[in-house]
Amino acid sequence: MKLICAPMATLSHPAFRIMIEKFGSCDEYYNEMINAPSLLHGGQFEKFYINPAPCPEKLVWQLTGKSAEPMIKAAALLCDLGGMGIDLNMGCSAPEIYNSGAGSAWMVKPATEIEELLIGVRRVLSEYEEKSGKHLRFSVKCRLGDENFTDESFFSFAELLVKNGVERITLHPRTRKERYRDRPRWIYAQRLAEKYPEISVIVNGDVKDRASYEEVTSICPSCHGVMIGRMAAQKPWIFDELKNTGRDEKKSVDLLQTGLDFIDDVVKYQPPEFYKTRLQRFFAYYCDNFSFAHYAKTQMLNSKDVEDSKKRLIEYFEKVPADRYRISY
């Protein structure tokens, strides 16, 4: 199965991908979602969202928006940037995204509106392929639906996607309001793959180690890949760990140097306005590797600037030197 790094707001940027590449990489990366109207209007930060470094050949562009027309136009712009394909975000359950009519709100829109978007993006991709000779994959990332979802409503939505040319569906098998509190219903990904063998189905949700990976792949043998999100921020070596389980050689991680390198790459690839949020989001997960995780998170959260973040990270390992190389896999 393919191992895929999920699209995550404030995380799925070049600095994050560079870090994962250093640990052996994954098969594909989805970038953090691109707001279609902002891209079309040339927002001052859009160039940072569409930077494909360090491996554009493995990048999938994910689009978000509340209406079809700007998303179709934005898809045309993204085609010229290369990558593996275009993905439509129909799964984000963050209240501000859903309430705006984007993300998982697409799953409860009228079928005619969904079809307008799908037909438009499919047309854009077909025209690009005819012009360039390069095929870009058309995919959608979604959930099970809203709280009142039924099997009929979910599979009717999936039927609409497949009928209109979607080649891959990535399923996070929870409802909109479940977020992360309930166990994902992975079996729905398997049922989806069995029902539509002509497309690829990727299963997403709660894969955090070898045991959970083996569980989800045993439940979903017909799926084509596993997507990992938050755990890739805590353990950027997880893809290498899953690919190489059983090897004789064990690897250790320098948690200090990895953190410092990440900070340097954030400065290199992100605008100063993004430094704080990118560092806070990453270290909120990464510090779970530390013996005194809550203390470390609080220290990093309260950092005044980049240099202060480095200083606090170094000071932590000076106080707890045994933590620096404590992870091996």
Side-chain angles (χ1 to χ4, degrees), residues 108-178:
V108 295
K109 290 178 187 283
T112 52
E113 191 173 347
I114 301 170
E115 228 167 9
E116 179 189 358
L117 172 60
L118 298 174
I119 291 170
V121 174
R122 177 72 273 166
R123 183 182 67 250
V124 163
L125 292 172
S126 296
E127 290 172 353
Y128 175 78
E129 183 170 2
E130 185 176 344
K131 176 182 69 175
S132 68
K134 180 180 179 182
H135 177 74
L136 295 178
R137 187 180 60 220
F138 184 21
S139 63
V140 167
K141 188 172 187 292
C142 63
R143 288 180 171 251
L144 291 174
D146 225 322
E147 296 315 285
N148 59 350
F149 98 99
T150 62
D151 282 22
E152 182 182 0
S153 66
F154 171 69
F155 286 105
S156 293
F157 176 77
E159 176 71 24
L160 192 64
L161 300 183
V162 176
K163 183 179 74 172
N164 285 286
V166 171
E167 301 163 80
R168 167 185 283 184
I169 298 175
T170 300
L171 178 64
H172 185 125
R174 289 183 171 103
T175 63
R176 175 174 66 90
K177 289 188 177 178
E178 281 176 332

Side-chain angles (χ1 to χ4, degrees), residues 169-298:
I169 298 175
T170 300
L171 178 64
H172 185 125
R174 289 183 171 103
T175 63
R176 175 174 66 90
K177 289 188 177 178
E178 281 176 332
R179 304 297 294 271
Y180 302 114
R181 71 174 183 266
D182 295 312
R183 181 178 170 86
R185 284 166 270 191
W186 292 321
I187 190 62
Y188 274 92
Q190 174 61 18
R191 291 175 62 187
L192 195 62
E194 290 174 346
K195 187 173 177 65
Y196 299 107
E198 68 271 31
I199 69 166
S200 64
V201 175
I202 308 299
V203 59
N204 172 222
D206 284 17
V207 174
K208 57 186 178 181
D209 52 24
R210 168 54 58 173
S212 56
Y213 174 77
E214 290 180 348
E215 182 180 7
V216 73
T217 53
S218 69
I219 292 171
C220 304
S222 301
C223 289
H224 297 78
V226 174
M227 179 177 279
I228 300 174
R230 295 168 296 149
M231 192 51 61
Q234 181 182 331
K235 301 195 305 182
W237 52 88
I238 190 170
F239 299 107
D240 190 50
E241 181 180 344
L242 295 178
K243 285 188 293 185
N244 294 291
T245 297
R247 65 185 168 200
D248 294 330
E249 177 194 5
K250 292 293 184 181
K251 292 188 177 182
S252 63
V253 179
D254 185 338
L255 292 176
L256 171 58
Q257 193 58 54
T258 298
L260 293 174
D261 288 347
F262 177 79
I263 294 171
D264 285 341
D265 284 330
V266 165
V267 172
K268 182 176 180 181
Y269 288 98
Q270 299 285 277
E273 293 88 343
F274 285 9
Y275 292 169
K276 185 173 183 178
T277 55
R278 272 51 181 168
L279 295 181
Q280 286 180 339
R281 182 82 188 280
F282 171 71
F283 284 105
Y285 296 117
Y286 188 69
C287 288
D288 281 333
N289 295 302
F290 304 171
S291 297
F292 301 95
H294 179 73
Y295 168 79
K297 289 179 187 182
T298 301

